Amino acid sequence: MKEIKVYLRKDRTDLVIQKLEEVGIKGMTVLDANALAEWADEEAFSYSIEYVQKYSTVVKLELICEDSDVEKLVNVIAKYGKTGKSGDGWIFVSNIEKSIRIKTGEINQIK
């Protein structure tokens, strides 16, 4: 199992989620976030350049998937999240070692 974390522009979020649902994703976590990064988009804000270069409001998506689905999902996110401008965001893929269902206490060791 893999976890995909995505940081992307707010204005691309609806499209990316729609396209992920079209390829079979049934659930994900969607969070508003403030990014402290060099990839802030200066054109999208009316704040000072110094502020925009330091902080940027983004959306963070988190989803869990089978190893075999990673490339398909990353390709969808990259295709529909891209504007070609600075500040398009990042995609991170990590291994999941274990999951624990809170309701039942069921533990799944991931191989």
Side-chain angles (χ1 to χ4, degrees):
M1 299 286 290
K2 300 288 186 192
E3 177 182 30
I4 301 175
K5 292 182 186 177
V6 183
Y7 296 88
L8 74 151
R9 297 172 175 273
K10 281 188 147 202
D11 63 352
R12 304 305 285 185
T13 304
D14 288 339
L15 179 60
V16 169
I17 291 172
Q18 173 191 345
K19 295 301 182 179
L20 287 170
E21 289 173 336
E22 287 176 9
V23 296
I25 293 299
K26 293 183 171 65
M28 69 190 80
T29 302
V30 181
L31 304 162
D32 284 325
N34 291 315
L36 181 61
E38 62 186 31
W39 49 276
D41 180 9
E42 298 173 11
E43 298 172 14
F45 296 92
S46 59
Y47 304 115
S48 70
I49 297 298
E50 292 79 20
Y51 179 84
V52 171
Q53 287 176 340
K54 192 169 184 179
Y55 300 99
S56 180
T57 302
V58 297
V59 172
K60 180 181 180 185
L61 304 179
E62 298 177 349
L63 52 133
I64 307 299
C65 67
E66 297 293 334
D67 291 8
S68 59
D69 291 332
V70 170
E71 289 306 312
K72 171 179 68 175
L73 299 176
V74 166
N75 289 338
V76 167
I77 295 162
K79 179 178 180 179
Y80 295 102
K82 182 178 180 177
T83 67
K85 296 180 183 177
S86 176
D88 276 349
W90 289 90
I91 302 168
F92 298 98
V93 179
S94 304
N95 290 318
I96 301 294
E97 296 177 16
K98 179 183 355 182
S99 68
I100 303 159
R101 183 175 293 269
I102 295 173
K103 179 181 176 183
T104 64
E106 173 189 355
I107 297 174
N108 294 308
Q109 296 290 351
I110 310 299
K111 298 176 184 174

